[in-house]
Amino acid sequence: MITLDAHQTAQLLPYPQLADGIEAMLMEMRSGTARAPERLHFSLSEPERGRRGGVLLVMPATNRDVAMTKHITVHPENCRAGKPSIIGEVMVFDPHTGERLMLLDGPTITGRRTAAVTLFAARKFAPRPKGPVLIVGAGVQARAHLEAFAAGMGTRHFMIFSRSPERAHALADHAATLGVEATVIDAIEPVLNTVSIVIAATTSSEPVLPDSDVHRWRDDIFVAGVGSFRPDMRELPPQLCRDAAVRGTLVVDTWEVKHEAGDLLHAAIDWGRAVPLLDAIITPDRFRSSGPVLFKSVGYALWDLAAVLCARANLAKDGVPVS
């Protein structure tokens, strides 16, 4: 069995190729050759006052050639002790024999495939994909999205907002190593008329973006909410969610949002106005409208499977057999 650490896993998952792999996986979903159940979401401890408890996520998936299971534990309070908040692994095995083939770093798979899905959605649906990008948050997902849009969209200018200025400046310094410009800002609303894409990548329990009572969202903006994945987590304002659903376009990565996306649940959106990513790709003209585009992602095991297939293909290119 091949065992790869975080750095080795990342090297096998270049963002542009991974975004293409997401599209290929959507086609496998359409044909029924790739399958995944709803993920198991299991609380490991009761949250204490002012602190959030740990969660175990188990996500299996398979196609005709390979199967995998991702085990991830999320402990938001670990950051207070200088420990990673996401820990886990992806086990890859032969679906016909059960033979274990690879062990990949789970947080790296999660971060990179999530950013690649957002990149793919922005390529397809952003009205102005080449403009400046605002990233709200400065953690693992914020970093992955900055890297993905720099590599896969050619974005040269980012704006970063975080409640931790120190982390925001660290992310801006990282952007400089990639040859792109990143400006740390201390308020979101003043820049919303200058950016074309907004990415919310936080684990906030309250909206981090202004609501339309204060700010009216432009019709040519693309907003991605990727940080919240539980009913008690909200980073998108309710009116933005409703506005996208009613007069714009609301695309969701998977129907698991119906019981996991706190943003959309709190907004009480009409699910009949939400469009799964696969449907939006197959018949895009049916869902296009003049309002803002909102992409909500909570994660899906088939995105992890797409990452596994990408890593497997790149190992084969390097002459490393995985079978």
Side-chain angles (χ1 to χ4, degrees), residues 10 13 39 43 48 54 66 87 105 123 149 156 166 178 207 209 261 268-269 275 282 284 298 301 320:
L13 301 174
R39 66 182 169 201
S43 295
E48 301 174 9
V66 69
I87 303 171
D105 184 70
R123 283 177 173 177
F149 276 73
R156 311 321 297 167
E166 181 180 349
L178 303 177
L209 299 177
I269 62 115
V275 186
I282 295 172
V298 295
V320 180

Short mmCIF file of all heavy atoms in Angstrom, two decimals, residues 10 13 39 43 48 54 66 87 105 123 149 156 166 178 207 209 261 268-269 275 282 284 298 301 320:
data_model
loop_
_atom_site.label_atom_id
_atom_site.label_comp_id
_atom_site.label_asym_id
_atom_site.label_seq_id
_atom_site.Cartn_x
_atom_site.Cartn_y
_atom_site.Cartn_z
N ALA A 10 -0.67 16.74 -1.78
CA ALA A 10 -0.90 18.01 -2.47
C ALA A 10 -0.22 18.03 -3.84
O ALA A 10 -0.78 18.55 -4.81
CB ALA A 10 -0.41 19.17 -1.61
N LEU A 13 -2.26 16.76 -6.70
CA LEU A 13 -3.59 17.35 -6.90
C LEU A 13 -3.49 18.80 -7.37
O LEU A 13 -3.96 19.71 -6.69
CB LEU A 13 -4.40 17.27 -5.60
CG LEU A 13 -4.64 15.88 -5.02
CD1 LEU A 13 -5.33 15.97 -3.68
CD2 LEU A 13 -5.45 15.03 -5.99
N ARG A 39 -23.14 11.24 3.88
CA ARG A 39 -22.05 11.02 4.82
C ARG A 39 -22.58 10.87 6.25
O ARG A 39 -23.62 11.42 6.61
CB ARG A 39 -21.05 12.17 4.75
CG ARG A 39 -21.56 13.52 5.22
CD ARG A 39 -20.48 14.55 5.03
NE ARG A 39 -20.97 15.90 5.21
CZ ARG A 39 -20.36 16.97 4.72
NH1 ARG A 39 -19.25 16.83 4.02
NH2 ARG A 39 -20.85 18.16 4.90
N SER A 43 -21.46 13.43 16.29
CA SER A 43 -20.87 14.30 17.32
C SER A 43 -20.04 13.46 18.29
O SER A 43 -20.51 12.43 18.80
CB SER A 43 -21.96 15.04 18.09
OG SER A 43 -22.66 15.92 17.25
N GLU A 48 -19.29 22.69 24.99
CA GLU A 48 -19.34 23.41 26.25
C GLU A 48 -19.73 24.85 25.97
O GLU A 48 -19.72 25.31 24.83
CB GLU A 48 -17.98 23.34 26.95
CG GLU A 48 -17.52 21.92 27.24
CD GLU A 48 -16.10 21.89 27.78
OE1 GLU A 48 -15.56 22.97 28.08
OE2 GLU A 48 -15.55 20.79 27.89
N GLY A 54 -16.36 18.33 19.06
CA GLY A 54 -15.78 17.67 17.91
C GLY A 54 -16.80 16.86 17.12
O GLY A 54 -17.83 16.43 17.65
N VAL A 66 -12.29 2.03 -8.54
CA VAL A 66 -11.66 2.30 -7.25
C VAL A 66 -12.73 2.68 -6.23
O VAL A 66 -13.79 3.18 -6.59
CB VAL A 66 -10.61 3.43 -7.39
CG1 VAL A 66 -11.28 4.77 -7.68
CG2 VAL A 66 -9.71 3.53 -6.17
N ILE A 87 -8.39 16.65 11.12
CA ILE A 87 -7.44 15.54 11.10
C ILE A 87 -8.12 14.36 10.43
O ILE A 87 -9.31 14.10 10.68
CB ILE A 87 -6.99 15.16 12.52
CG1 ILE A 87 -6.38 16.36 13.25
CG2 ILE A 87 -5.99 14.00 12.49
CD1 ILE A 87 -6.10 16.11 14.72
N ASP A 105 -3.58 11.90 2.69
CA ASP A 105 -3.86 12.83 3.79
C ASP A 105 -5.26 13.43 3.63
O ASP A 105 -5.56 14.08 2.63
CB ASP A 105 -2.82 13.95 3.80
CG ASP A 105 -3.02 14.89 4.98
OD1 ASP A 105 -2.77 14.46 6.12
OD2 ASP A 105 -3.44 16.05 4.76
N ARG A 123 -15.91 28.99 -12.82
CA ARG A 123 -15.63 28.94 -14.26
C ARG A 123 -16.93 28.86 -15.06
O ARG A 123 -17.07 29.48 -16.12
CB ARG A 123 -14.77 27.72 -14.59
CG ARG A 123 -13.30 27.82 -14.25
CD ARG A 123 -12.65 26.49 -14.58
NE ARG A 123 -11.19 26.52 -14.46
CZ ARG A 123 -10.43 25.45 -14.64
NH1 ARG A 123 -10.98 24.29 -14.95
NH2 ARG A 123 -9.12 25.54 -14.52
N PHE A 149 -7.70 29.67 -7.25
CA PHE A 149 -8.08 30.71 -8.19
C PHE A 149 -6.86 31.35 -8.85
O PHE A 149 -6.94 31.79 -10.00
CB PHE A 149 -8.96 31.75 -7.49
CG PHE A 149 -10.41 31.34 -7.44
CD1 PHE A 149 -10.83 30.33 -6.59
CD2 PHE A 149 -11.34 31.95 -8.27
CE1 PHE A 149 -12.16 29.93 -6.56
CE2 PHE A 149 -12.67 31.56 -8.25
CZ PHE A 149 -13.08 30.54 -7.39
N ARG A 156 -5.26 37.61 -10.35
CA ARG A 156 -4.02 38.27 -9.96
C ARG A 156 -4.19 39.16 -8.73
O ARG A 156 -3.21 39.60 -8.14
CB ARG A 156 -3.46 39.15 -11.09
CG ARG A 156 -3.35 38.49 -12.46
CD ARG A 156 -2.91 37.05 -12.43
NE ARG A 156 -1.58 36.84 -11.89
CZ ARG A 156 -1.09 35.65 -11.54
NH1 ARG A 156 -1.86 34.57 -11.66
NH2 ARG A 156 0.13 35.53 -11.06
N GLU A 166 -3.60 39.00 11.94
CA GLU A 166 -2.32 38.30 11.84
C GLU A 166 -2.41 37.17 10.81
O GLU A 166 -1.51 37.02 9.96
CB GLU A 166 -1.93 37.73 13.21
CG GLU A 166 -0.61 36.99 13.21
CD GLU A 166 -0.24 36.46 14.57
OE1 GLU A 166 -0.90 36.83 15.57
OE2 GLU A 166 0.71 35.65 14.65
N LEU A 178 3.21 33.21 -4.52
CA LEU A 178 2.59 32.65 -5.72
C LEU A 178 2.61 33.63 -6.88
O LEU A 178 2.13 33.32 -7.98
CB LEU A 178 1.14 32.26 -5.42
CG LEU A 178 0.91 31.28 -4.27
CD1 LEU A 178 -0.58 31.06 -4.05
CD2 LEU A 178 1.61 29.95 -4.52
N PRO A 207 -23.69 35.29 10.18
CA PRO A 207 -23.28 35.76 8.86
C PRO A 207 -22.07 36.68 8.91
O PRO A 207 -22.00 37.57 9.76
CB PRO A 207 -24.51 36.49 8.34
CG PRO A 207 -25.66 35.84 9.05
CD PRO A 207 -25.14 35.51 10.42
N LEU A 209 -21.05 38.19 5.95
CA LEU A 209 -21.26 39.13 4.86
C LEU A 209 -22.47 40.01 5.17
O LEU A 209 -23.40 39.56 5.85
CB LEU A 209 -21.51 38.38 3.54
CG LEU A 209 -20.38 37.47 3.06
CD1 LEU A 209 -20.80 36.75 1.78
CD2 LEU A 209 -19.10 38.25 2.82
N ALA A 261 -26.71 22.65 5.46
CA ALA A 261 -26.33 24.04 5.20
C ALA A 261 -27.14 24.99 6.07
O ALA A 261 -28.26 25.38 5.73
CB ALA A 261 -26.51 24.37 3.72
N ALA A 268 -34.63 29.82 5.09
CA ALA A 268 -35.90 29.18 4.71
C ALA A 268 -36.16 29.33 3.21
O ALA A 268 -37.25 29.70 2.78
CB ALA A 268 -37.06 29.76 5.52
N ILE A 269 -35.14 29.01 2.41
CA ILE A 269 -35.29 29.17 0.97
C ILE A 269 -36.23 28.11 0.40
O ILE A 269 -36.43 27.05 1.00
CB ILE A 269 -33.91 29.11 0.26
CG1 ILE A 269 -33.25 27.75 0.47
CG2 ILE A 269 -33.00 30.22 0.74
CD1 ILE A 269 -33.07 26.96 -0.77
N VAL A 275 -30.59 24.64 -7.40
CA VAL A 275 -30.21 23.79 -8.52
C VAL A 275 -28.97 22.97 -8.17
O VAL A 275 -27.92 23.55 -7.88
CB VAL A 275 -29.91 24.63 -9.78
CG1 VAL A 275 -29.66 23.72 -10.98
CG2 VAL A 275 -31.03 25.60 -10.06
N ILE A 282 -25.76 20.30 -16.86
CA ILE A 282 -26.41 19.63 -17.99
C ILE A 282 -27.29 20.60 -18.78
O ILE A 282 -27.30 20.60 -20.01
CB ILE A 282 -27.24 18.44 -17.48
CG1 ILE A 282 -26.32 17.37 -16.87
CG2 ILE A 282 -28.07 17.84 -18.61
CD1 ILE A 282 -27.07 16.25 -16.18
N PRO A 284 -27.62 24.39 -18.47
CA PRO A 284 -27.29 25.69 -17.87
C PRO A 284 -28.25 26.81 -18.23
O PRO A 284 -28.57 27.65 -17.38
CB PRO A 284 -25.88 25.97 -18.40
CG PRO A 284 -25.77 25.15 -19.65
CD PRO A 284 -26.58 23.93 -19.39
N VAL A 298 -21.31 22.06 0.69
CA VAL A 298 -21.12 21.43 2.00
C VAL A 298 -20.19 20.22 1.92
O VAL A 298 -19.86 19.61 2.92
CB VAL A 298 -22.46 21.00 2.63
CG1 VAL A 298 -23.33 22.20 2.94
CG2 VAL A 298 -23.20 20.00 1.76
N ALA A 301 -18.71 13.06 -0.92
CA ALA A 301 -17.68 12.03 -1.05
C ALA A 301 -17.22 11.85 -2.49
O ALA A 301 -16.06 11.48 -2.73
CB ALA A 301 -18.20 10.71 -0.50
N VAL A 320 4.42 4.95 -11.06
CA VAL A 320 4.10 4.23 -9.82
C VAL A 320 2.78 3.50 -10.03
O VAL A 320 1.72 4.13 -10.13
CB VAL A 320 3.97 5.19 -8.63
CG1 VAL A 320 3.64 4.41 -7.37
CG2 VAL A 320 5.25 5.98 -8.44
#
